[in-house]
């Protein structure tokens, strides 16, 4: 079994500290990337998370050229604000062949961040080798600011103070209180905009436009904007 850092896609290897020895990993910016939120960002990786393919929308939004992405770890776009436990759960699920929905804060080549929900699917070739395909779409900003970002911030704080296992223990309790898995929790937020647990007698609710289609609720309710770097 691969070690935890590699398997959970949570820490770049030494070879990823630079891109071709020329460009260092970008410094995170507190500015959000503006992009066409109607686009589907598609990527495919091998069983180790190395990128095999990325569509034009993925390339356009992350800001890397295609030659910079191919055969590089998908965590080239990983944002340091992401708690490691989310990747831990993700890898455990998709390596068993299960689909997985995960909300992620990504980092572009310029250091700006962008939030997506990633629908991950697993496939096997004729030799039984796994590949993973992810379709990323935008998330309603209120879901991020009111529910996802506060949760991820708390998980990261626990991780820094007490380690990944303690962060995972908190997430397990958080989900058990709702009687849900992580994917069920994300699906509920996407489709209803509601976190069923009441805080001070008020249910946290986000107004999500009603649209048809499985991915429709993922879209932010706004007109497309030009990307800025």
């Amino acid at each position: 079994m691969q070690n935890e850092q590699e398997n959970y896609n949570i820490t770049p290897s030494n070879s990823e500290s630079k891109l071709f020895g020329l460009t260092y990993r970008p410094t995170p910016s507190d500015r959000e990337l503006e992009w066409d939120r109607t686009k589907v960002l598609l990527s495919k990786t091998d069983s180790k998370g190395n990128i095999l393919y990325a569509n034009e929308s993925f390339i356009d939004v992350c800001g890397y050229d295609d030659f910079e992405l191919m055969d590089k770890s998908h965590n080239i776009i990983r944002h340091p604000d992401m708690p490691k436990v989310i990747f831990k759960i993700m890898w455990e699920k998709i390596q068993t062949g299960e689909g997985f929905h995960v909300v992620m804060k990504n980092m572009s080549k310029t250091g700006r961040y962008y939030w997506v929900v990633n629908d991950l699917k697993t496939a096997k070739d004729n030799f039984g080798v796994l590949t993973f395909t992810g379709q990323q779409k935008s998330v309603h900003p209120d879901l991020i600011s009111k529910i996802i970002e506060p949760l991820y911030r708390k998980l990261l704080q626990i991780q820094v103070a007490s380690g990944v296992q303690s962060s995972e223990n908190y997430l397990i309790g958080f989900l058990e209180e709702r009687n849900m898995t992580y994917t069920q929790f994300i699906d509920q937020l996407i489709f209803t905009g509601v976190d069923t647990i009441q805080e001070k007698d008020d249910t946290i609710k986000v107004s999500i436009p009603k649209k048809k289609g499985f991915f429709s609720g993922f879209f932010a309710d706004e007109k497309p904007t030009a990307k800025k770097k």
Side-chain angles (χ1 to χ4, degrees):
M1 180 176 291
Q2 296 167 299
N3 62 47
E4 183 182 63
Q5 286 188 344
E6 182 180 2
N7 198 32
Y8 300 153
N9 200 21
I10 55 182
T11 304
S13 64
N14 290 336
S15 62
E16 294 164 22
S17 296
K18 298 180 181 180
L19 293 173
F20 308 109
L22 298 175
T23 306
Y24 285 92
R25 195 171 181 86
T27 300
S29 168
D30 61 0
R31 298 181 65 185
E32 185 170 6
L33 183 74
E34 295 181 9
W35 58 290
D36 184 346
R37 297 172 187 268
T38 66
K39 297 294 186 182
V40 179
L41 317 183
L42 179 70
S43 62
K44 181 179 179 181
T45 70
D46 64 17
S47 61
K48 296 181 179 180
N50 297 315
I51 298 172
L52 302 173
Y53 172 76
N55 71 357
E56 288 302 315
S57 295
F58 185 101
I59 292 169
D60 182 57
V61 172
C62 76
Y64 291 98
D65 289 313
D66 49 6
F67 66 84
E68 294 178 294
L69 293 172
M70 295 306 103
D71 204 34
K72 297 297 184 296
S73 174
H74 205 281
N75 68 10
I76 194 172
I77 60 170
R78 176 186 55 85
H79 197 286
D81 285 352
M82 281 295 297
K84 294 179 179 180
V85 65
I86 301 301
F87 293 105
K88 180 179 185 293
I89 295 172
M90 179 187 75
W91 276 100
E92 288 174 348
K93 291 296 183 184
I94 64 177
Q95 288 185 344
T96 65
E98 296 182 44
F100 193 73
H101 303 151
V102 55
V103 175
M104 307 179 78
K105 184 178 185 179
N106 290 338
M107 182 169 62
S108 70
K109 187 177 181 179
T110 64
R112 294 191 182 189
Y113 68 88
Y114 58 104
W115 286 93
V116 297
V117 61
N118 198 355
D119 178 30
L120 289 159
K121 290 183 171 59
T122 303
K124 287 185 179 181
D125 63 17
N126 294 333
F127 301 99
V129 177
L130 291 175
T131 59
F132 308 120
T133 300
Q135 295 186 65
Q136 300 184 12
K137 292 197 174 183
S138 64
V139 189
H140 195 287
D142 285 350
L143 283 180
I144 298 301
S145 62
K146 296 181 180 180
I147 301 175
I148 296 296
E149 196 164 25
L151 171 62
Y152 282 15
R153 186 182 302 115
K154 181 166 290 189
L155 292 173
L156 188 62
Q157 289 171 341
I158 295 172
Q159 171 191 309
V160 171
S162 305
V164 177
Q165 186 60 56
S166 295
S167 181
E168 182 175 11
N169 290 340
Y170 179 88
L171 181 58
I172 290 171
F174 177 91
L175 295 171
E176 285 179 345
E177 186 178 12
R178 290 154 177 79
N179 195 29
M180 294 179 181
T181 65
Y182 174 86
T183 293
Q184 290 170 338
F185 175 65
I186 295 302
D187 286 350
Q188 175 184 267
L189 293 182
I190 295 300
F191 291 120
T192 69
V194 175
D195 179 4
T196 55
I197 296 301
Q198 293 185 348
E199 300 290 346
K200 298 180 180 179
D201 299 326
D202 290 325
T203 299
I204 300 175
K205 185 172 183 178
V206 175
S207 178
I208 301 296
K210 300 296 183 182
K211 300 180 182 179
K212 294 181 179 180
F214 180 76
F215 271 120
S216 59
F218 296 174
F219 293 127
D221 188 26
E222 60 181 73
K223 294 180 180 179
T225 55
K227 183 185 68 172
K228 294 182 180 179
K229 295 184 178 181

